[in-house]
Amino acid sequence: MRVPPLRLIEHAIAHLRAQAGRDHALPISLLIVNVDRFKLVNDLCGHAAGDRLIEHIRDRCARSSRNLQVIHIGADEFACLLPVTAFDSGEGDRIADRIAERLLEAVGDPVSLGRHIVHPTASIGIATDRFGTLSPEELLRGASIALSHAKQAGGGTVQRFCPAMFADLSDRATLEDDLRGGLLRGELLPYYQPIVSLGSRKIARFEALVRWHHPHRGLLGPDQFLTIAEEAGLDDDLLFSMVRQACRNAGEWEGRLGLSINMTPRQVCDPTVALRLLRIVFASGMRPDRFTVEITEDAMMHNVVAAQETVSTLREAGIRIALDDFGTGYTSLSRICQLPLDMIKIDRSLIQSLDTDAGRKLVKVVVDLGQSLSMPVTAEGIETPRQARLLNEIGCTFGQGYLFGRAAPASLAARLAGAAPLAIAS
Ligand code: C2E
Ligand code: CA
Ligand code: CA
């Protein structure tokens, strides 16, 4: 039976106190190390390889400092206890920070797992009990909150607990409540960003991007609430509300323009979500071939088997699949050839590199690959006429970005849908 993390940590702290000959009041830092994207390693390389990676990381943590006691507390998580003596001067915090940085470095060395070489990263949350007055539970809670902040920062980082994080937590709780109500009150709306044909500058489709008209906080973008929606289990309600509204709005567009919608990685791995989405699209009367689901590379790779089931369900019904944010994740060019896709969207970061020779070559390789596979390529984040011109010359079919228009409310999208090609100097 698995021992709960708190019990393991309590036991280890009691042991350290006994070693130090103290009943209590042992200043201590707790570092929680969580391996980023561990599930991906399990899926790509197999569970035995995943276990080997965890063993490697445990060794590396243990070797990074003599004073560190390393405990495996979860599939991809370690608790590292660090008794420190020089707390009064603040030196204790610095020691914990330094050790955390050393841990990140140690974890990051490449590991060979059969045919794969992985470059692991980890997130670390630190909580320090300066005076030995906190309970193990309080210490663990602080380190876990700090770890969530490190994860939210995108992984590969260290965060030390500070009391302001409690305020953040309560702010989050309020926002979660607001979101629940906001979904029912219809405050979450699709805005539409045009995707244009780079040759003709005509709008080919709109991507629906969620916006929240919050009654007190104003207009919020997805970065401010999407994670909360996922953690609160509200992401499916959000998706279905978006699909319902977007299908209704798209019914008013002239020329039967296409409509793209985004799915979260978790939704891609749950084949029932695709079935419910299909029901909404069919009920709306919209032709499925106008509808594209955008799936990021990481979502595709997260659970390959489940993602393929979702993709097959959608494609068999006539819905198209676009690989979103290409160039930011793990997918190799050769892997793209094996994925059942209809379109590729090149991430904004690659488009920004168009100014360099190497960047242009890279984008051209993706565009050529798309052409050879009969998959139109869309470039995201086009902000300058020069980028649009270069991409058109390279042979990229579609473009999206502030140059052509930002995400706009449904009424404006409906007007744009009937308008002449976007007149933009090149
Ligand atoms: P994404 O799917 O890659 O969408 C493109 C994002 O880039 C949008 O940000 C868009 O406003 C922004 N963008 C477009 N052109 C430019 C440009 O020229 N320059 C710059 N700097 N940015 C540009 P937004 O709307 O904040 O959405 C961020 C991400 O949130 C989206 O990235 C998507 O992953 C996610 N998202 C948005 N709406 C939804 C939704 O309804 N459901 C789900 N699951 N995810 C959504
Ligand atoms: Ca997208
Ligand atoms: Ca994208």
Side-chain angles (χ1 to χ4, degrees):
M1 204 177 68
R2 246 193 85 217
V3 183
L6 179 59
R7 291 285 301 283
L8 291 169
I9 290 167
E10 277 170 347
H11 184 75
I13 290 180
H15 182 67
L16 285 173
R17 281 181 184 150
Q19 267 186 337
R22 300 160 82 147
D23 286 345
H24 51 79
L26 179 69
I28 207 162
S29 279
L30 170 63
L31 294 80
I32 306 240
V33 180
N34 184 287
V35 183
D36 297 327
R37 306 204 275 189
F38 178 60
K39 189 170 179 316
L40 198 61
V41 174
N42 267 339
D43 289 345
L44 284 178
C45 314
H47 283 255
D51 291 347
R52 281 219 311 284
L53 177 65
I54 291 298
E55 272 311 306
H56 271 288
I57 290 179
R58 178 212 278 271
D59 280 356
R60 287 170 179 186
C61 290
R63 268 190 272 125
S64 65
S65 165
R66 222 165 13 96
N67 299 330
L68 213 57
Q69 183 166 350
V70 180
I71 317 156
H72 192 188
I73 56 170
D76 56 357
E77 202 156 273
F78 297 93
C80 303
L81 285 164
L82 179 71
V84 190
T85 47
F87 273 98
D88 293 344
S89 59
E91 182 62 9
D93 284 342
R94 276 200 292 280
I95 293 173
D97 286 351
R98 233 178 291 138
I99 291 206
E101 291 299 337
R102 219 186 292 157
L103 281 176
L104 280 192
E105 256 174 54
V107 167
D109 281 342
V111 183
S112 166
L113 299 172
R115 286 182 298 118
H116 299 268
I117 295 189
V118 297
H119 297 256
T121 63
S123 304
I124 302 183
I126 308 177
T128 294
D129 180 9
R130 282 163 173 264
F131 307 106
T133 50
L134 296 181
S135 68
E137 196 205 344
E138 287 166 322
L139 198 60
L140 177 59
R141 197 170 348 129
S144 300
I145 292 172
L147 176 65
S148 316
H149 278 253
K151 284 277 174 196
Q152 273 165 34
T157 56
V158 179
Q159 285 284 333
R160 183 165 358 124
F161 175 76
C162 62
M165 288 178 178
F166 269 128
D168 272 11
L169 268 188
S170 95
D171 194 47
R172 260 178 89 86
T174 315
L175 211 56
E176 185 182 316
D177 269 354
D178 289 356
L179 187 60
R180 227 175 276 281
L183 271 167
L184 294 173
R185 289 187 295 270
E187 292 166 8
L188 287 111
L189 304 173
Y191 271 42
Y192 298 95
Q193 186 176 31
I195 298 176
V196 307
S197 158
L198 283 173
S200 67
R201 298 293 164 98
K202 276 192 185 153
I203 297 176
R205 60 169 47 81
F206 285 100
E207 176 171 1
L209 296 161
V210 65
R211 297 291 181 266
W212 181 3
H213 286 255
H214 192 286
H216 311 301
R217 300 180 195 226
L219 190 66
L220 305 184
D223 55 321
Q224 290 162 288
F225 60 85
L226 209 54
T227 316
I228 298 179
E230 289 185 78
E231 286 173 4
L234 295 169
D235 49 334
D236 287 352
D237 289 347
L238 177 62
L239 171 71
F240 302 137
S241 160
M242 288 284 288
V243 175
R244 234 174 260 121
Q245 297 182 69
C247 287
R248 205 178 314 128
N249 293 150
E252 294 164 12
W253 300 341
E254 274 179 33
R256 312 225 151 265
L257 300 180
L259 165 68
S260 298
I261 284 269
N262 295 279
M263 263 167 104
T264 63
R266 195 205 53 76
Q267 288 166 339
V268 175
C269 294
D270 176 354
T272 63
V273 172
L275 291 172
R276 288 160 72 195
L277 183 148
L278 279 184
R279 243 179 272 143
I280 300 172
V281 175
F282 286 133
S284 76
M286 179 167 172
R287 272 183 40 192
D289 61 358
R290 285 179 66 200
F291 199 96
T292 299
V293 172
E294 298 195 356
I295 299 180
T296 61
E297 318 180 40
D298 278 356
M300 282 281 192
M301 296 300 139
H302 192 64
N303 179 340
V304 179
V305 176
Q308 286 197 344
E309 191 177 336
T310 291
V311 167
S312 305
T313 305
L314 294 171
R315 290 185 92 219
E316 277 162 22
I319 285 179
R320 294 164 205 252
I321 304 295
L323 184 68
D324 203 358
D325 298 351
F326 180 71
T328 56
Y330 278 104
T331 325
S332 62
L333 288 175
S334 59
R335 184 94 179 98
I336 285 192
C337 308
Q338 297 154 10
L339 292 171
L341 298 169
D342 301 285
M343 273 176 252
I344 302 171
K345 295 187 78 176
I346 307 182
D347 190 66
R348 184 163 67 93
S349 52
L350 254 68
I351 302 309
Q352 280 171 334
S353 71
L354 273 176
D355 284 335
T356 66
D357 220 26
R360 258 195 311 281
K361 281 191 185 134
L362 186 59
V363 172
K364 179 147 174 45
V365 168
V366 181
V367 169
D368 289 348
L369 179 76
Q371 271 175 352
S372 69
L373 296 169
S374 306
M375 280 188 226
V377 174
T378 301
E380 302 190 282
I382 302 179
E383 293 184 351
T384 66
R386 181 180 140 78
Q387 286 169 338
R389 186 170 39 77
L390 282 173
L391 285 159
N392 191 31
E393 281 166 14
I394 285 173
C396 182
T397 318
F398 298 111
Q400 176 179 7
Y402 293 167
L403 179 69
F404 307 114
R406 294 181 182 236
S411 53
L412 180 55
R415 259 182 283 146
L416 284 175
L422 296 172
I424 288 153
S426 51

